Amino acid sequence: MGPRWKGKRSEEKALANPISKLISDLRSSLIKSNSQAMLSGCSVLLKCNPEQTELLNQTCFGRPVITAEKDNHRFELSLEEAFYLCFSLKCIKIVGGDNVTRTDNELWEYMIFKRESFPYTFKAYSHLRNHNWVVRSGCQYGADFVAYRHHPSLVHSEYCVLVLSESNVNDRLRVWSDYQSMVRICGSVNKTLLVLHVHKNCENVITSSSPSFIDALNVEERTITRWDPKRCREKQQVGTE
């Protein structure tokens, strides 16, 4: 389907400020300030300064939390976003209610406790982020994520993303009508359905008790669209002169 840019100069602006560079700038800034976030139920609250607030907005990590403090901003991160910044980019520390920094293993256990499917959604999220897609929640479309080529102010999202695993704890896409419904939803909002099958790459891998489990997972991509015969046929139809 391709990108649908918002405005004449949107593509030019995106090319001038690639997501990869913006994330690199964000990472450097967070490391420099020794940034710290706090666990809060099924989300994580990150303290940040005005510069980091702008970079977080530009890279679409989390959502700002309104506070009365002028220069002390907070962002609410999803579990996937927080673990990506902490574990993958290693640019923030995450503490619990006791203000003690959690190790990667402790955070991993916490995330899985909060959501059983976390290892698979995180693998899918990091897979997209590592390829410089902007990833946001897809709940408004009945999907796990939506993927943008750049910031949502410049371009419409191209994909609705569903994450499937061997366990498929959400029991989705079990029957043909599930596919049909999702494809119709995606078609109505000019998006392509992207199904990410996350599965273990080794039969000997049994436990998901540590973040090392991530390396044992593979992501298989499938795009599903409605077939339009007009894309394939010639002007001259069979059986006509």
Side-chain angles (χ1 to χ4, degrees), residues 1-2 157-161 186-187 190-194 222-225:
M1 188 175 294
S157 58
E158 291 179 49
Y159 297 101
C160 285
V161 183
C186 292
N190 293 316
K191 304 187 194 315
T192 298
L193 175 61
L194 173 61
R222 289 283 189 275
T223 56
I224 303 173
T225 59

Side-chain angles (χ1 to χ4, degrees), residues 43-62:
S43 61
V44 178
L45 296 177
L46 173 66
K47 293 182 180 180
C48 51
N49 58 40
E51 175 196 13
Q52 293 161 354
T53 294
E54 180 63 23
L55 287 169
L56 286 164
N57 278 323
Q58 290 178 337
T59 53
C60 294
F61 280 100

Side-chain angles (χ1 to χ4, degrees), residues 23-24 26-36 46 61 80-94 101-105 107 122 130 211-212 214-215:
I23 289 181
S24 178
L26 171 65
R27 182 174 183 271
S28 297
S29 179
L30 291 172
I31 291 174
K32 184 178 179 180
S33 64
N34 196 28
S35 295
Q36 181 173 287
L46 173 66
F61 280 100
E80 289 83 8
E81 291 170 331
F83 200 70
Y84 187 77
L85 291 172
C86 179
F87 177 77
S88 299
L89 298 187
K90 302 188 184 306
C91 57
I92 65 171
K93 297 177 181 178
I94 300 179
T101 301
R102 297 295 189 256
T103 65
D104 290 341
N105 282 358
L107 286 174
F122 176 75
N130 289 343
S212 61
I214 298 170
D215 295 330

Side-chain angles (χ1 to χ4, degrees), residues 4-229:
R4 294 180 297 125
W5 298 100
K6 298 179 179 179
K8 294 181 179 179
R9 298 192 60 194
S10 294
E11 184 175 8
E12 180 183 339
K13 292 178 182 178
L15 291 173
N17 294 283
I19 288 294
S20 57
K21 182 182 182 304
L22 293 173
I23 289 181
S24 178
D25 291 344
L26 171 65
R27 182 174 183 271
S28 297
S29 179
L30 291 172
I31 291 174
K32 184 178 179 180
S33 64
N34 196 28
S35 295
Q36 181 173 287
M38 178 175 288
L39 296 172
S40 179
C42 289
S43 61
V44 178
L45 296 177
L46 173 66
K47 293 182 180 180
C48 51
N49 58 40
E51 175 196 13
Q52 293 161 354
T53 294
E54 180 63 23
L55 287 169
L56 286 164
N57 278 323
Q58 290 178 337
T59 53
C60 294
F61 280 100
R63 299 185 184 279
V65 178
I66 298 176
T67 67
E69 303 175 63
K70 182 178 180 181
D71 295 323
N72 191 9
H73 301 183
R74 285 181 173 81
F75 262 68
E76 182 180 17
L77 305 170
S78 70
L79 298 181
E80 289 83 8
E81 291 170 331
F83 200 70
Y84 187 77
L85 291 172
C86 179
F87 177 77
S88 299
L89 298 187
K90 302 188 184 306
C91 57
I92 65 171
K93 297 177 181 178
I94 300 179
V95 303
D98 55 4
N99 209 37
V100 175
T101 301
R102 297 295 189 256
T103 65
D104 290 341
N105 282 358
E106 289 171 338
L107 286 174
W108 182 256
E109 292 176 2
Y110 178 90
M111 305 297 186
I112 295 178
F113 175 76
K114 288 299 180 181
R115 195 190 315 133
E116 182 182 353
S117 62
F118 176 78
Y120 304 98
T121 56
F122 176 75
K123 181 67 176 184
Y125 177 88
S126 60
H127 175 76
L128 294 169
R129 275 290 187 180
N130 289 343
H131 286 83
N132 295 316
W133 287 93
V134 170
V135 187
R136 304 296 282 173
S137 169
C139 62
Q140 69 269 40
Y141 304 117
D144 292 300
F145 306 112
V146 286
Y148 297 80
R149 191 170 294 258
H150 207 279
H151 194 277
S153 66
L154 299 178
V155 66
H156 293 279
S157 58
E158 291 179 49
Y159 297 101
C160 285
V161 183
L162 283 181
V163 181
L164 299 185
S165 66
E166 295 157 335
S167 59
N168 199 6
V169 293
N170 293 319
D171 200 34
R172 294 178 300 189
L173 301 188
R174 292 289 191 184
V175 295
W176 174 245
S177 58
D178 291 345
Y179 282 95
Q180 189 177 42
S181 297
M182 280 304 303
V183 170
R184 283 185 176 274
I185 290 173
C186 292
S188 67
V189 290
N190 293 316
K191 304 187 194 315
T192 298
L193 175 61
L194 173 61
V195 179
L196 298 182
H197 292 266
V198 182
H199 54 85
K200 291 181 287 187
N201 58 27
C202 177
E203 293 182 358
N204 295 328
V205 177
I206 299 175
T207 179
S208 60
S209 59
S210 75
S212 61
F213 182 66
I214 298 170
D215 295 330
L217 296 175
N218 279 342
V219 179
E220 184 179 345
E221 304 165 342
R222 289 283 189 275
T223 56
I224 303 173
T225 59
R226 296 176 67 183
W227 182 65
D228 183 1

